[in-house]
């Protein structure tokens, strides 16, 4: 009876599908492969559109350079003549600030887009609104008083950043105006968020498997992020995480056994698949240096070139980076006497949760934790 019931249910489902497809012929496109063909065609068209848009933009920039050229009565080009002289002479070379001040129209016609730090903007450009738009990236790491002078060089400003990522570091730096309202804010992003229109970007593109961003999404972003997972990776049904315990010892702010194992794992991954990019994140600077030394030694012994994409960094300077596979070396472990200190470096300091959030969201496909700490 169970077999008959299953056959009946299957026949009803097939009949229902045929009925729906007959009433809605467009549904047949999915099973016939037409939908997949249209998807591929759309993807190719979007790539072509992107390339054409880039070429058109470059063409328009070049056209601007030759617009409204000035010639003297002997038909010699006058535009750019003095600028060319200044940038090609070998002696008494002008500072960039003076060059821009004297030839701003010619300079910005040739180079309309500039990429610089806030400090460089203040040093290079006179206090004039040269730019139509000033964009700040990673504004959570920029002090307010260092960003405002750059804002003054533009007519409009866009300030982009994530309050859940790294704060500015004031080690070895003196901040201007300790009692000023700007200094009371941690960053330019915080200062701007109370005065400008706020727009949240909620689509998370980096993590190709949802579980890689799940912890941060729940605990840092209140579940607002919408992940864009990779279908092929999900269908493999492989875990996005790997945990490996190493019986290491914490000595002089390093863990040698753990560093050796991390270097071995990097070598294994490179030998398995050279196409995957790999990153190593450590929880302190000295462990980072030790791992770099072991990686160099192991690759040299195997006569294998270290991939250019290989990254070895610590918590403080990994923001903005991403790799297919991320290996964590926590480093911390019991010492020779078996005592475990609960001082975990910068994670214990103010903003430690932001450092953790940055570290655990760098992987596209997989996170490997190599540690001497039991769960």
């Amino acid at each position: 009876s169970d077999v008959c019931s299953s056959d009946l249910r299957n026949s009803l489902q097939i009949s229902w599908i045929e009925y729906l497809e007959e009433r809605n012929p467009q549904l047949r496109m999915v099973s016939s492969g037409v939908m997949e063909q249209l998807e591929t065609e759309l993807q190719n068209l979007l790539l072509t559109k992107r390339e054409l848009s880039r070429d058109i933009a470059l063409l328009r920039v070049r056209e601007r350079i030759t617009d409204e050229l000035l010639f003297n009565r002997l038909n010699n080009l006058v535009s750019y003549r003095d600028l060319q002289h200044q940038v090609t002479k070998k002696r008494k070379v002008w500072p960039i600030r003076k060059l821009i001040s004297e030839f701003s129209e010619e300079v910005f016609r040739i180079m309309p887009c500039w990429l610089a730090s806030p400090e460089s903007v203040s040093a290079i450009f006179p206090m004039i609104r040269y730019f139509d738009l000033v964009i700040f990236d990673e504004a959570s790491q920029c002090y307010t008083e260092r960003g405002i002078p750059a804002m003054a060089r533009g007519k409009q400003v866009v300030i982009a950043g994530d309050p859940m990522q790294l704060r500015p570091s004031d080690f070895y730096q003196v901040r201007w105006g300790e009692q000023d309202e700007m200094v009371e804010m941690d960053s330019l992003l915080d200062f701007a968020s109370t005065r400008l229109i706020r727009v949240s970007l909620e689509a998370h593109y980096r993590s190709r498997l949802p579980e890689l961003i799940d912890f941060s999404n729940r605990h840092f972003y209140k579940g607002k992020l919408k992940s864009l997972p990779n279908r092929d990776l999900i269908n493999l049904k492989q875990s996005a995480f790997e945990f490996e315990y190493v019986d290491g010892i914490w000595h002089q702010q390093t863990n040698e056994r753990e560093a050796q194992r991390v270097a071995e794992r990097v070598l294994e991954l490179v030998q398995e698949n050279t196409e995957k990019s790999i990153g190593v994140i450590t929880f302190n600077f000295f462990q980072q240096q030790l791992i770099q030394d072991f990686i160099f030694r192991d690759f040299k012994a195997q006569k294998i070139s270290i991939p250019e994409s290989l990254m070895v960094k610590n918590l403080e300077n990994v923001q903005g980076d991403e790799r297919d596979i991320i290996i964590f070396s926590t480093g911390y472990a019991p010492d020779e006497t078996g005592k475990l200190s609960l001082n975990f470096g910068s994670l214990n300091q103010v903003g430690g949760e932001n450092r953790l959030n940055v570290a655990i969201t760098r992987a596209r496909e997989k996170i490997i934790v190599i540690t001497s700490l039991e769960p």
Side-chain angles (χ1 to χ4, degrees):
S1 61
D2 290 341
V3 174
C4 292
S5 175
S6 175
D7 289 342
L8 177 61
R9 190 183 304 111
N10 187 54
S11 298
L12 285 172
Q13 288 173 344
I14 292 173
S15 298
W16 181 244
I17 291 172
E18 290 176 350
Y19 171 75
L20 290 176
E21 289 184 344
E22 186 177 342
R23 293 287 301 272
N24 304 277
Q26 63 271 24
L27 293 177
R28 296 183 186 274
M29 291 166 44
V30 178
S31 57
S32 65
V34 175
M35 183 67 74
E36 187 175 347
Q37 181 182 346
L38 291 174
E39 264 186 31
T40 303
E41 186 179 347
L42 177 60
Q43 290 172 355
N44 293 333
L45 288 173
L46 288 173
L47 289 173
T48 302
K49 179 183 177 182
R50 183 188 300 174
E51 293 173 0
L52 289 174
S53 299
R54 181 191 60 196
D55 293 340
I56 291 171
L58 289 172
L59 181 62
R60 287 176 178 170
V61 170
R62 294 190 182 106
E63 287 174 346
R64 281 186 55 186
I65 297 174
T66 58
D67 284 344
E68 301 177 3
L69 294 177
L70 298 177
F71 295 85
N72 60 18
R73 56 182 179 170
L74 299 176
N75 204 32
N76 293 324
L77 182 64
V78 176
S79 300
Y80 309 118
R81 183 178 60 186
D82 294 336
L83 174 62
Q84 184 182 20
H85 168 69
Q86 291 298 335
V87 298
T88 55
K89 66 182 185 180
K90 304 298 182 184
R91 300 177 58 190
K92 296 182 180 180
V93 178
W94 282 7
I96 297 179
R97 188 183 182 93
K98 183 178 180 181
L99 189 75
I100 291 175
S101 179
E102 293 293 328
F103 303 104
S104 59
E105 183 178 346
E106 291 94 333
V107 168
F108 287 107
R109 196 186 296 178
I110 296 171
M111 299 177 63
C113 299
W114 290 69
L115 179 67
S117 66
E119 293 83 359
S120 297
V121 170
S122 298
I124 293 173
F125 303 105
M127 187 64 81
I128 299 174
R129 290 187 173 181
Y130 288 120
F131 298 98
D132 296 308
L133 178 64
V134 174
I135 301 175
F136 286 89
D137 188 26
E138 303 286 9
S140 67
Q141 289 189 287
C142 176
Y143 285 122
T144 308
E145 66 270 22
R146 294 180 186 172
I148 285 181
M151 292 168 58
R153 269 76 173 181
K155 299 171 185 176
Q156 287 184 304
V157 63
V158 172
I159 298 174
D162 184 350
M164 294 292 104
Q165 296 199 359
L166 294 186
R167 299 295 189 184
S169 175
D170 56 0
F171 291 132
Y172 316 113
Q173 299 178 14
V174 177
R175 294 197 65 183
W176 173 81
E178 289 295 334
Q179 303 303 319
D180 194 274
E181 180 187 3
M182 290 187 296
V183 182
E184 293 177 0
M185 299 283 187
D186 281 344
S187 68
L188 178 63
L189 182 66
D190 293 335
F191 185 77
S193 65
T194 62
R195 291 162 172 78
L196 302 178
I197 298 172
R198 297 179 63 179
V199 178
S200 296
L201 304 179
E202 297 175 350
H204 176 78
Y205 66 91
R206 177 178 295 132
S207 302
R208 295 174 183 169
L209 290 172
E211 50 264 47
L212 288 171
I213 193 61
D214 181 66
F215 180 87
S216 287
N217 194 15
R218 285 189 287 119
H219 294 285
F220 291 98
Y221 300 106
K222 301 179 182 178
K224 293 181 180 179
L225 293 183
K226 299 171 184 175
S227 63
L228 305 172
N230 182 283
R231 183 185 63 183
D232 295 332
L233 281 177
I234 289 179
N235 289 339
L236 291 175
K237 297 181 179 180
Q238 296 177 353
S239 174
F241 302 100
E242 186 179 315
F243 179 88
E244 183 174 342
Y245 175 75
V246 178
D247 189 17
I249 296 174
W250 185 246
H251 178 66
Q252 294 183 348
Q253 301 189 59
T254 58
N255 184 332
E256 187 171 332
R257 292 180 190 171
E258 192 173 303
Q260 286 178 332
R261 181 54 192 148
V262 170
E264 291 170 2
R265 196 73 181 90
V266 170
L267 184 61
E268 291 170 5
L269 289 169
V270 170
Q271 291 175 329
E272 288 171 10
N273 193 335
T274 55
E275 294 181 359
K276 300 292 184 184
S277 59
I278 302 167
V280 178
I281 300 177
T282 69
F283 282 29
N284 79 337
F285 171 72
F286 299 104
Q287 186 74 0
Q288 172 195 343
Q289 285 189 312
L290 186 61
I291 289 173
Q292 286 174 325
D293 292 341
F294 281 128
I295 288 175
F296 180 78
R297 182 202 65 184
D298 290 357
F299 275 76
K300 185 178 181 181
Q302 294 293 325
K303 297 181 180 179
I304 299 175
S305 299
I306 297 176
E308 292 184 9
S309 61
L310 178 64
M311 172 193 77
V312 183
K313 293 187 177 181
N314 60 62
L315 288 173
E316 302 299 327
N317 54 19
V318 76
Q319 182 161 315
D321 290 306
E322 60 181 65
R323 294 294 187 273
D324 294 325
I325 302 171
I326 290 291
I327 301 175
F328 281 122
S329 170
T330 55
Y332 303 109
D335 60 18
E336 295 91 337
T337 64
K339 180 182 178 182
L340 176 64
S341 172
L342 297 182
N343 178 16
F344 300 124
S346 60
L347 285 178
N348 286 105
Q349 299 173 8
V350 175
E353 69 277 12
N354 291 52
R355 296 180 178 92
L356 179 65
N357 180 42
V358 169
I360 64 177
T361 54
R362 300 301 99 194
R364 300 190 194 107
E365 297 182 9
K366 190 170 188 176
I367 289 177
I368 300 171
V369 180
I370 298 178
T371 180
S372 301
L373 300 173
E374 293 279 12

